[in-house]
Amino acid sequence: MRQNSTILRLQNVSKIYQMGEVEVPALKNVTVDINKGDFVAIIGASGSGKSTMMNLIGCLDLPTEGNILLKDQNITRLSESDLASLRGKTIGFIFQQYNLIPSITAFENVLLPMEFQEIGDNEANQRVKKILEIVGLTDKGHHLPTQLSGGQQQRVSIARSLATDPEIILADEPTGALDSVTGKQVMEMLTNLWKEGKTIIMVTHDLNLAKYAHTTIELKDGQIIKINKRLR
Amino acid sequence: MVLHAKIRSWLTILGIVIGVAAVISIVSMGEALQQDMTSQLGDLGGDILTLTAGASKAQGFGPGRDKSGGGSATASEEEVVVDKTDLQVLKGISDIKLLDTQIKGSADVYYVAEKGSVNVNGVDPATWSQITTSEIAEGRMLGPSDSNVVVVGGKIANGFFDKNLGVNQLITIEDKLFRIIGVLDDTSTSIYMPINAAYEILEDKEKGVYDSIVIQIKDEDQLEQAIDNIESKLLISRHVTSDKKDFTINSNAQSNEARAEMMGSMTTFLTAIAAVALLVGAVGIANTMFTSVLEKTKEIGIMKAIGARNNDIMTIFLLNAALIGLIGGLLGVVFGFMLSGVLPALMGDSGGIMGRMTSAGSVISLSSVFLALGMSVFIGIISGVVPAYQASRLKPVDALRYE
Ligand SMILES: Nc1ncnc2c1ncn2[C@@H]1O[C@H](COP(=O)(O)OP(=O)(O)OP(=O)(O)O)[C@@H](O)[C@H]1O
Ligand SMILES: [Mg+2]
């Protein structure tokens, strides 16, 4: 059975965006623990702070107040380059707009995260092949992103998020740009990853997609108003 | 990385190409010229002086200049000349080893059915071979007992007429027949003959009057004193004071120095132009890098999200800038050498420095290639540093939000 150890902990986290003179509070005093191996959906209306929370969890941004502990490390106290390493090794990102590098092939896009880690060329190439097989794109490796459909691009982006074999996969509206059939395929892929032991954290405003998750965190105006844990 | 960015990159590279090409062609032409000059200077004795009539140009337009009539101490309206009297005076000076009286002019030369115009030099057949810096390629130099024979420049023997000329062949100069006894190891269209024969060819020359007297002194180390001595003796014999001097003594050493100086300042000038060209190239690279940082902001965000450190981003951009520099440098080297071969020819054989550049060609030195490449890569990196640093400092969230 899955052990219930905490992989991510947000303690009294607040995020205030400074827009000139105006302060925009996007998150207010958020405290939550996320367990290793959980499938979490963050839901809420537009502007409720979902992406903000995602960016903080992904170490792309730092909180204005409070602490974030990722694998027991306080990310607010890490240096820029330690943060980058932690991000590269522990977290895989899947974006709504895929965010592939347009000038390089699908294969190279998947290879890229490994270039920033100390992974040998041979091993890296082998891994890319294996991962492309998992997402069903073995024959598309030499294609540029623009030569792929949206669903295929998102699968490349899922493959990329798996490159360094991270423990956590962060997905911000992963099906937002896809039709419902392709979106369903992507969700099934995430479910499979979760079954293999990855921790999945997904942002969505689609309650149907939230059903794939086992923990649902609902945000409103920058505050958590409900945490729903489904029993298995 | 992005396709349309490529065209701008090529334009940027062009800036560096022009700069490097300018540097390479200037350096290689300069080097060729220097080699050419030193090879000539090497055997061009510093012990040679040339006496000509008239005040030196350096003394400018003051009184005492030839033909300036009024104020001239030589009381007459006659042309100032160097003649037999001066030769006698010089013969009495102990510093002097050899004297060679010369006249020169142009004459028509005929060979079979062809005709051409050449420089005829009448020289003292007894001393010319010892004083001249020219070297013989074929045959022999003029000797004391020669009369109707000539030594011709290399160009006259090869390429001047349809048929090449050689030793013992006969050519007609004006209306007299001459036998070639030697061909010089150069590319000139000059003909050297005994001065007495030249007086008959160059009809406007008066016997006993010389265009110049070439003087070889005994001791090169005593050059200054020898010049002073010769000058004072001539001032007395010609009845002029030193501020109204009506003759000029040029030393090879001095004119070579002047020429080297002029070359030096020309090289400096051209180098300055090349430096400006390179600077423009550098600004171009910096500009391209800045725009490419803007353009790639989102990609930088993505790369940071998937684990790129600040240093990784910095390296990527610096490598890119260095690569632009390297490609520009390589192309610049190629174009530079092409240019240095073509440029002097374009400027025409107008004599002087440019004319000598033509004959000198270009010298390709490996060190200048490496210098140029190193320089362009360095410029690339230098102009890429600030944009690369800027790129590396972007915050991941902000970069990702950028559209
Ligand atoms: N960089 C920023 N600067 C200023 N304000 C921001 C910034 N990013 C987000 N905000 C504000 O913070 C609040 C939360 O934004 P956030 O993007 O987290 O919402 P969201 O829940 O992801 O919305 P959506 O469902 O539309 O993506 C909003 O009011 C937004 O305007
Ligand atoms: Mg959002």
Side-chain angles (χ1 to χ4, degrees):
Chain A
M1 280 265 80
R2 300 196 165 215
Q3 72 263 59
N4 263 5
S5 68
T6 303
I7 195 166
L8 185 79
R9 170 168 288 174
L10 274 64
Q11 294 176 326
N12 307 319
V13 169
S14 295
K15 180 72 191 177
I16 298 168
Y17 292 109
Q18 197 74 41
M19 288 187 57
E21 298 283 281
V22 192
E23 291 191 338
V24 183
L27 280 184
K28 298 169 198 162
N29 208 21
V30 169
T31 299
V32 68
D33 282 0
I34 290 171
N35 288 334
K36 188 172 162 62
D38 202 352
F39 192 148
V40 180
I42 301 171
I43 57 171
S46 182
S48 56
K50 305 185 293 293
S51 295
T52 302
M53 188 166 159
M54 207 60 158
N55 290 337
L56 293 175
I57 293 172
C59 313
L60 293 174
D61 206 354
L62 292 172
T64 318
E65 264 172 64
N67 290 313
I68 298 174
L69 294 149
L70 178 60
K71 293 182 73 184
D72 296 326
Q73 292 184 77
N74 191 336
I75 68 159
T76 58
R77 301 219 183 105
L78 291 179
S79 73
E80 178 67 42
S81 79
D82 286 341
L83 216 52
S85 290
L86 184 66
R87 196 156 56 215
K89 289 191 186 105
T90 325
I91 300 166
F93 287 91
I94 301 168
F95 301 95
Q96 178 174 358
Q97 293 299 336
Y98 331 129
N99 282 354
L100 299 173
I101 308 275
S103 56
I104 58 177
T105 63
F107 191 97
E108 290 163 336
N109 264 289
V110 180
L111 190 68
L112 198 55
M114 286 186 261
E115 306 259 288
F116 300 124
Q117 308 300 329
E118 272 126 34
I119 296 175
D121 281 359
N122 254 337
E123 195 195 333
N125 282 319
Q126 289 306 316
R127 292 226 13 211
V128 177
K129 279 184 198 146
K130 220 171 88 190
I131 298 167
L132 282 178
E133 205 182 306
I134 294 172
V135 298
L137 287 174
T138 309
D139 53 338
K140 301 282 187 212
H142 59 281
H143 283 64
L144 291 175
T146 47
Q147 297 165 333
L148 297 170
S149 73
Q152 287 168 335
Q153 287 187 59
Q154 193 60 301
R155 280 191 275 159
V156 174
S157 134
I158 292 174
R160 181 180 63 185
S161 76
L162 297 174
T164 57
D165 195 20
E167 290 167 65
I168 304 171
I169 305 278
L170 292 187
D172 194 346
E173 307 265 12
T175 63
L178 302 174
D179 62 65
S180 58
V181 178
T182 338
K184 199 161 175 259
Q185 283 174 4
V186 166
M187 285 315 298
E188 270 156 17
M189 235 169 240
L190 287 179
T191 309
N192 285 336
L193 291 174
W194 168 73
K195 281 180 183 156
E196 282 162 25
K198 304 267 185 227
T199 308
I200 314 277
I201 303 172
M202 174 182 74
V203 161
T204 184
H205 59 264
D206 185 339
L207 292 178
N208 284 323
L209 294 183
K211 284 176 191 154
Y212 286 87
H214 289 255
T215 301
T216 315
I217 299 173
E218 193 176 346
L219 285 176
K220 194 185 174 197
D221 297 333
Q223 283 175 312
I224 295 179
I225 53 167
K226 193 154 97 191
I227 298 181
N228 213 343
K229 282 191 195 274
R230 180 146 60 92
L231 293 172
R232 273 167 284 139
Chain B
M1 285 195 188
V2 190
L3 197 69
H4 65 258
K6 272 181 188 155
I7 293 162
R8 208 190 25 246
S9 283
W10 282 110
L11 287 177
T12 311
I13 287 174
L14 196 64
I16 286 292
V17 169
I18 291 169
V20 170
V23 170
I24 281 282
S25 52
I26 287 162
V27 168
S28 78
M29 279 196 295
E31 249 167 62
L33 202 59
Q34 231 135 28
Q35 279 189 13
D36 180 53
M37 270 178 53
T38 41
S39 77
Q40 288 201 9
L41 291 186
D43 38 46
L44 200 74
D47 57 349
I48 303 291
L49 303 173
T50 309
L51 170 66
T52 50
S56 74
K57 282 177 191 150
Q59 283 182 323
F61 305 96
R65 195 174 155 79
D66 52 334
K67 290 185 195 170
S68 66
S72 172
T74 49
S76 67
E77 304 277 300
E78 265 175 59
E79 212 177 322
V80 183
V81 294
V82 170
D83 61 16
K84 263 183 171 152
T85 330
D86 300 304
L87 186 64
Q88 288 311 319
V89 172
L90 292 174
K91 276 182 176 164
I93 297 173
S94 60
D95 297 310
I96 295 175
K97 187 172 163 197
L98 285 173
L99 290 163
D100 172 18
T101 51
Q102 298 193 348
I103 58 171
K104 60 179 69 175
S106 81
D108 291 333
V109 49
Y110 304 85
Y111 180 69
V112 194
E114 288 179 81
K115 177 188 168 184
S117 177
V118 298
N119 300 317
V120 167
N121 295 274
V123 298
D124 184 341
T127 55
W128 174 67
S129 65
Q130 296 158 68
I131 283 183
T132 184
T133 54
S134 303
E135 304 223 343
I136 205 88
E138 202 188 318
R140 63 169 178 87
M141 289 288 202
L142 295 171
S145 55
D146 283 328
S147 52
N148 285 331
V149 297
V150 290
V151 170
V152 300
K155 182 78 195 271
I156 295 205
N158 301 302
F160 193 72
F161 294 111
D162 283 350
K163 242 188 95 191
N164 285 350
L165 295 176
V167 170
N168 279 335
Q169 264 162 322
L170 297 174
I171 51 170
T172 309
I173 303 173
E174 295 296 337
D175 52 359
K176 295 206 167 49
L177 208 57
F178 286 85
R179 186 165 57 88
I180 297 172
I181 57 161
V183 177
L184 292 177
D185 188 15
D186 64 13
T187 55
S188 74
T189 56
S190 292
I191 288 184
Y192 295 87
M193 63 173 68
I195 190 163
N196 286 331
Y199 277 124
E200 287 168 39
I201 300 290
L202 307 169
E203 276 163 358
D204 59 327
K205 301 289 177 188
E206 192 186 327
K207 263 205 162 176
V209 174
Y210 316 115
D211 287 338
S212 61
I213 299 177
V214 180
I215 303 164
Q216 185 178 29
I217 60 164
K218 280 178 182 155
D219 187 353
E220 195 175 330
D221 298 332
Q222 304 285 311
L223 184 74
E224 297 296 325
Q225 292 95 310
I227 293 175
D228 287 349
N229 191 17
I230 293 167
E231 232 171 51
S232 61
K233 294 265 163 62
L234 285 173
L235 285 173
I236 294 167
S237 76
R238 292 170 74 98
H239 307 292
V240 288
T241 53
S242 65
D243 56 331
K244 291 180 176 161
K245 201 171 71 171
D246 60 350
F247 61 90
T248 306
I249 298 173
N250 272 318
S251 81
N252 271 337
Q254 281 168 359
S255 58
N256 286 336
E257 234 166 68
R259 202 182 291 152
E261 214 168 273
M262 182 179 151
M263 243 209 53
S265 56
M266 196 167 104
T267 309
T268 313
F269 174 65
L270 292 175
T271 309
I273 294 178
V276 170
L278 276 178
L279 192 70
V280 172
V283 172
I285 290 190
N287 181 47
T288 301
M289 295 308 295
F290 274 119
T291 24
S292 115
V293 168
L294 270 188
E295 209 165 58
K296 295 195 168 72
T297 299
K298 178 125 194 183
E299 287 180 29
I300 293 167
I302 296 168
M303 288 198 275
K304 286 200 159 184
I306 61 176
R309 288 168 210 88
N310 287 2
N311 281 345
D312 295 323
I313 303 291
M314 181 105 176
T315 310
I316 289 170
F317 276 85
L318 277 186
L319 278 180
N320 201 4
L323 194 69
I324 291 178
L326 183 67
I327 294 173
L330 281 171
L331 291 176
V333 166
V334 172
F335 282 121
F337 282 131
M338 275 160 50
L339 212 64
S340 65
V342 169
L343 253 192
L346 281 182
M347 293 183 185
D349 194 346
S350 52
I353 294 260
M354 280 305 156
R356 294 180 54 156
M357 275 190 174
T358 319
S359 59
S362 64
V363 173
I364 298 174
S365 81
L366 211 60
S367 62
S368 66
V369 172
F370 283 120
L371 186 78
L373 286 184
M375 199 168 57
S376 50
V377 169
F378 180 72
I379 287 175
I381 291 175
I382 285 295
S383 32
V385 163
V386 177
Y389 180 74
Q390 223 178 43
S392 76
R393 299 295 301 213
L394 285 172
K395 275 177 66 186
V397 246
D398 298 338
L400 271 171
R401 287 169 64 94
Y402 189 90
E403 286 302 332

